[in-house]
Amino acid sequence: DQQVKQNSPSLSVQEGRISILNCDYTNSMFDYFLWYKKYPAEGPTFLISISSIKDKNEDGRFTVFLNKSAKHLSLHIVPSQPGDSAVYFCAASAPDTDKLIFGTGTRLQVFP
Amino acid sequence: GAGVSQSPRYKVAKRGQDVALRCDPISGHVSLFWYQQALGQGPEFLTYFQNEAQLDKSGLPSDRFFAERPEGSVSTLKIQRTQQEDSAVYLCASSLVAGVVSEQYFGPGTRLTVT
Protein backbone atom coordinates (compact mmCIF):
# COMPACT_ATOMS: atom_id res chain seq x y z
CA ASP A 1 0.00 0.00 0.00
CA GLN A 2 1.72 3.13 -1.28
CA GLN A 3 0.96 5.93 1.18
CA VAL A 4 2.91 8.53 -0.82
CA LYS A 5 2.44 8.57 -4.57
CA GLN A 6 4.22 10.36 -7.36
CA ASN A 7 2.21 9.45 -10.40
CA SER A 8 4.47 11.05 -12.99
CA PRO A 9 7.64 9.01 -13.41
CA SER A 10 9.23 11.66 -15.60
CA LEU A 11 8.94 15.30 -16.60
CA SER A 12 10.75 17.26 -19.29
CA VAL A 13 10.91 21.07 -19.13
CA GLN A 14 12.70 23.73 -21.09
CA GLU A 15 15.31 25.82 -19.31
CA GLY A 16 13.82 29.00 -17.86
CA ARG A 17 10.29 27.60 -17.64
CA ILE A 18 8.48 26.37 -14.54
CA SER A 19 8.75 22.76 -13.38
CA ILE A 20 5.84 21.42 -11.34
CA LEU A 21 6.25 18.10 -9.57
CA ASN A 22 3.25 16.55 -7.88
CA CYS A 23 2.77 14.25 -4.92
CA ASP A 24 -0.34 12.71 -3.37
CA TYR A 25 -0.69 10.98 -0.03
CA THR A 26 -3.33 8.82 1.59
CA ASN A 27 -2.52 8.99 5.31
CA SER A 28 -4.29 11.98 6.87
CA MET A 29 -2.03 11.67 9.91
CA PHE A 30 1.00 12.91 7.98
CA ASP A 31 1.98 16.31 9.33
CA TYR A 32 5.36 17.05 7.77
CA PHE A 33 6.42 16.82 4.17
CA LEU A 34 9.81 17.05 2.50
CA TRP A 35 11.25 17.09 -0.99
CA TYR A 36 14.57 15.48 -1.78
CA LYS A 37 16.66 15.65 -4.94
CA LYS A 38 18.83 12.74 -6.04
CA TYR A 39 21.63 12.62 -8.57
CA PRO A 40 22.93 9.26 -9.87
CA ALA A 41 25.27 7.41 -7.50
CA GLU A 42 24.58 9.90 -4.71
CA GLY A 43 22.26 9.86 -1.75
CA PRO A 44 19.14 12.03 -1.67
CA THR A 45 19.73 15.68 -0.76
CA PHE A 46 17.18 17.66 1.23
CA LEU A 47 15.57 20.44 -0.77
CA ILE A 48 12.62 21.98 1.06
CA SER A 49 9.97 21.03 3.61
CA ILE A 50 6.56 22.12 4.82
CA SER A 51 4.58 21.56 7.98
CA SER A 52 0.89 20.74 7.78
CA ILE A 53 0.05 24.01 9.54
CA LYS A 54 1.20 25.89 6.46
CA ASP A 55 0.05 25.81 2.87
CA LYS A 56 3.13 27.28 1.23
CA ASN A 57 6.85 27.45 1.83
CA GLU A 58 9.31 29.21 -0.42
CA ASP A 59 13.09 29.02 -0.66
CA GLY A 60 14.65 30.81 -3.58
CA ARG A 61 13.59 29.17 -6.82
CA PHE A 62 11.76 26.40 -4.96
CA THR A 63 8.23 26.61 -3.57
CA VAL A 64 6.20 23.83 -2.03
CA PHE A 65 2.42 24.03 -1.86
CA LEU A 66 0.29 21.86 0.42
CA ASN A 67 -3.42 21.22 -0.06
CA LYS A 68 -4.48 19.20 2.97
CA SER A 69 -8.08 18.71 1.90
CA ALA A 70 -6.90 17.15 -1.35
CA LYS A 71 -3.96 15.37 0.32
CA HIS A 72 -1.77 16.84 -2.37
CA LEU A 73 1.49 18.73 -2.48
CA SER A 74 3.51 20.13 -5.29
CA LEU A 75 7.01 21.45 -5.82
CA HIS A 76 7.47 24.41 -8.15
CA ILE A 77 10.88 25.25 -9.55
CA VAL A 78 11.13 28.56 -11.36
CA PRO A 79 13.09 29.27 -13.41
CA SER A 80 14.23 25.73 -14.16
CA GLN A 81 17.94 25.20 -14.84
CA PRO A 82 19.78 22.27 -16.46
CA GLY A 83 21.43 21.55 -13.08
CA ASP A 84 17.98 20.80 -11.69
CA SER A 85 17.89 17.62 -13.78
CA ALA A 86 17.62 14.84 -11.19
CA VAL A 87 15.13 12.50 -9.55
CA TYR A 88 12.85 14.23 -7.05
CA PHE A 89 11.34 12.36 -4.13
CA CYS A 90 8.43 13.47 -2.02
CA ALA A 91 8.48 12.21 1.59
CA ALA A 92 6.09 12.43 4.52
CA SER A 93 6.17 11.84 8.23
CA ALA A 94 3.50 11.24 10.87
CA PRO A 95 3.50 12.53 14.48
CA ASP A 96 5.54 10.62 17.04
CA THR A 97 7.77 9.09 14.43
CA ASP A 98 10.90 10.34 12.75
CA LYS A 99 10.86 7.91 9.86
CA LEU A 100 10.09 9.15 6.38
CA ILE A 101 7.73 7.54 3.88
CA PHE A 102 8.92 8.20 0.35
CA GLY A 103 7.21 8.29 -3.01
CA THR A 104 8.63 6.51 -6.03
CA GLY A 105 10.20 9.64 -7.49
CA THR A 106 9.87 11.81 -10.59
CA ARG A 107 12.78 12.17 -12.99
CA LEU A 108 13.06 15.81 -14.09
CA GLN A 109 14.98 16.70 -17.21
CA VAL A 110 15.62 20.36 -17.98
CA PHE A 111 16.79 20.91 -21.52
CA PRO A 112 18.37 24.05 -22.99
CA GLY B 1 32.66 18.85 4.73
CA ALA B 2 32.12 15.68 6.72
CA GLY B 3 28.87 14.23 5.52
CA VAL B 4 27.44 10.77 6.01
CA SER B 5 29.76 8.12 4.66
CA GLN B 6 29.01 4.50 3.84
CA SER B 7 31.21 1.55 3.02
CA PRO B 8 31.59 -0.37 0.91
CA ARG B 9 30.04 1.58 -1.95
CA TYR B 10 29.46 -1.61 -3.91
CA LYS B 11 29.14 -5.17 -2.70
CA VAL B 12 28.59 -8.34 -4.68
CA ALA B 13 27.60 -11.36 -2.64
CA LYS B 14 26.75 -14.89 -3.61
CA ARG B 15 23.40 -16.09 -2.43
CA GLY B 16 23.72 -17.44 1.10
CA GLN B 17 26.65 -15.24 2.11
CA ASP B 18 26.51 -12.83 5.02
CA VAL B 19 27.25 -9.13 4.43
CA ALA B 20 27.94 -6.17 6.70
CA LEU B 21 27.33 -2.59 5.62
CA ARG B 22 28.81 0.31 7.52
CA CYS B 23 27.52 3.82 8.11
CA ASP B 24 29.42 6.75 9.60
CA PRO B 25 26.90 9.49 10.41
CA ILE B 26 27.64 13.17 10.75
CA SER B 27 29.44 13.75 14.03
CA GLY B 28 27.06 14.66 16.82
CA HIS B 29 23.93 13.51 15.04
CA VAL B 30 21.62 11.75 17.45
CA SER B 31 19.34 9.97 15.01
CA LEU B 32 20.39 7.37 12.48
CA PHE B 33 18.20 5.68 9.89
CA TRP B 34 18.61 2.83 7.43
CA TYR B 35 16.57 2.69 4.23
CA GLN B 36 16.43 0.18 1.40
CA GLN B 37 15.94 1.43 -2.15
CA ALA B 38 15.02 -1.09 -4.81
CA LEU B 39 15.49 -0.25 -8.48
CA GLY B 40 12.93 2.30 -9.66
CA GLN B 41 11.48 2.79 -6.18
CA GLY B 42 11.80 5.31 -3.43
CA PRO B 43 13.74 4.59 -0.24
CA GLU B 44 11.88 2.36 2.22
CA PHE B 45 12.43 2.63 5.95
CA LEU B 46 14.21 -0.25 7.65
CA THR B 47 15.21 0.83 11.15
CA TYR B 48 15.93 3.83 13.37
CA PHE B 49 18.38 4.53 16.20
CA GLN B 50 18.38 7.31 18.74
CA ASN B 51 21.95 7.28 19.99
CA GLU B 52 22.65 3.59 20.68
CA ALA B 53 19.00 2.63 21.23
CA GLN B 54 17.18 0.98 18.36
CA LEU B 55 13.74 2.51 18.73
CA ASP B 56 12.07 1.23 15.59
CA LYS B 57 12.90 -1.84 13.56
CA SER B 58 9.48 -2.29 12.03
CA GLY B 59 10.82 -2.04 8.47
CA LEU B 60 13.33 -4.87 8.65
CA PRO B 61 11.98 -7.41 6.12
CA SER B 62 13.03 -10.56 7.96
CA ASP B 63 15.06 -11.82 10.88
CA ARG B 64 18.00 -12.15 8.51
CA PHE B 65 18.42 -8.38 8.83
CA PHE B 66 20.10 -7.01 11.91
CA ALA B 67 21.37 -3.52 12.73
CA GLU B 68 23.41 -2.12 15.58
CA ARG B 69 24.90 1.15 16.77
CA PRO B 70 26.72 0.12 19.94
CA GLU B 71 28.39 3.42 20.82
CA GLY B 72 25.82 5.77 19.38
CA SER B 73 27.88 6.75 16.36
CA VAL B 74 28.88 4.22 13.67
CA SER B 75 26.19 1.76 12.65
CA THR B 76 26.34 -1.60 10.91
CA LEU B 77 23.56 -3.27 8.97
CA LYS B 78 24.08 -7.01 8.69
CA ILE B 79 22.25 -9.29 6.32
CA GLN B 80 22.59 -13.01 6.88
CA ARG B 81 22.15 -15.68 4.23
CA THR B 82 21.60 -13.12 1.48
CA GLN B 83 18.96 -13.77 -1.14
CA GLN B 84 18.45 -12.26 -4.59
CA GLU B 85 15.57 -10.10 -3.39
CA ASP B 86 18.01 -8.36 -1.02
CA SER B 87 19.67 -6.72 -4.04
CA ALA B 88 19.13 -2.98 -3.58
CA VAL B 89 20.85 0.23 -2.54
CA TYR B 90 21.06 0.55 1.23
CA LEU B 91 20.97 4.16 2.37
CA CYS B 92 21.98 5.49 5.74
CA ALA B 93 20.80 8.88 6.98
CA SER B 94 21.39 10.90 10.12
CA SER B 95 19.77 13.90 11.70
CA LEU B 96 20.89 16.22 14.46
CA VAL B 97 17.94 15.90 16.79
CA ALA B 98 15.45 13.24 17.80
CA GLY B 99 11.76 13.46 18.39
CA VAL B 100 11.30 16.33 15.97
CA VAL B 101 11.09 15.60 12.30
CA SER B 102 13.78 17.47 10.49
CA GLU B 103 15.78 16.98 7.37
CA GLN B 104 17.77 13.79 7.25
CA TYR B 105 21.21 13.81 5.66
CA PHE B 106 21.84 10.81 3.46
CA GLY B 107 25.01 8.97 2.61
CA PRO B 108 25.77 7.82 -0.95
CA GLY B 109 24.48 4.32 -0.26
CA THR B 110 25.85 0.81 -0.65
CA ARG B 111 24.72 -1.01 -3.76
CA LEU B 112 24.30 -4.68 -2.88
CA THR B 113 24.03 -7.22 -5.67
CA VAL B 114 23.26 -10.80 -4.74
CA THR B 115 24.08 -13.33 -7.46
Side-chain angles (χ1 to χ4, degrees):
Chain A
D1 178 30
Q2 194 76 22
Q3 296 187 68
V4 178
K5 301 177 185 179
Q6 293 176 259
N7 292 318
S8 298
S10 64
L11 176 67
S12 189
V13 171
Q14 189 172 30
E15 180 179 7
R17 308 292 280 261
I18 185 171
S19 296
I20 300 176
L21 295 94
N22 294 303
C23 177
D24 296 290
Y25 60 96
T26 58
N27 188 344
S28 57
M29 296 298 293
F30 287 150
D31 66 346
Y32 196 75
F33 304 88
L34 307 90
W35 284 93
Y36 280 82
K37 178 170 73 172
K38 187 180 183 304
Y39 294 118
E42 295 183 12
T45 302
F46 170 75
L47 200 54
I48 192 169
S49 63
I50 187 167
S51 165
S52 61
I53 62 174
K54 296 184 176 181
D55 55 18
K56 176 182 174 181
N57 189 26
E58 188 173 354
D59 183 2
R61 296 185 298 114
F62 303 92
T63 302
V64 56
F65 295 92
L66 175 63
N67 182 335
K68 289 188 293 293
S69 62
K71 295 193 183 69
H72 176 84
L73 64 156
S74 61
L75 174 68
H76 293 211
I77 306 172
V78 56
S80 301
Q81 300 173 355
D84 296 329
S85 298
V87 178
Y88 288 78
F89 290 99
C90 169
S93 179
D96 299 325
T97 176
D98 293 351
K99 71 183 182 186
L100 298 178
I101 309 298
F102 284 85
T104 53
T106 296
R107 181 177 301 277
L108 173 66
Q109 183 179 10
V110 180
F111 59 93
Chain B
V4 178
S5 61
Q6 293 186 245
S7 60
R9 291 293 311 276
Y10 303 91
K11 177 69 179 177
V12 179
K14 291 188 177 178
R15 190 174 62 176
Q17 283 185 333
D18 298 349
V19 298
L21 313 180
R22 177 187 169 105
C23 172
D24 285 83
I26 295 172
S27 178
H29 277 200
V30 169
S31 298
L32 186 145
F33 305 81
W34 283 99
Y35 292 86
Q36 179 190 61
Q37 185 177 15
L39 191 63
Q41 302 297 313
E44 289 196 9
F45 171 80
L46 293 177
T47 187
Y48 160 60
F49 290 86
Q50 183 178 322
N51 295 308
E52 69 278 2
Q54 188 175 20
L55 299 187
D56 187 345
K57 52 182 180 179
S58 62
L60 295 177
S62 76
D63 58 8
R64 296 186 296 104
F65 287 71
F66 171 78
E68 60 183 4
R69 193 186 185 198
E71 297 179 357
S73 55
V74 171
S75 176
T76 304
L77 176 67
K78 299 179 179 178
I79 308 173
Q80 296 178 323
R81 304 182 303 282
T82 53
Q83 300 178 5
Q84 284 194 316
E85 60 262 32
D86 300 335
S87 296
V89 175
Y90 290 85
L91 294 163
C92 175
S94 69
S95 65
L96 182 60
V97 296
V100 176
V101 175
S102 60
E103 56 265 34
Q104 296 176 16
Y105 296 85
F106 282 82
T110 294
R111 180 177 295 278
L112 172 66
T113 303
V114 181
T115 62

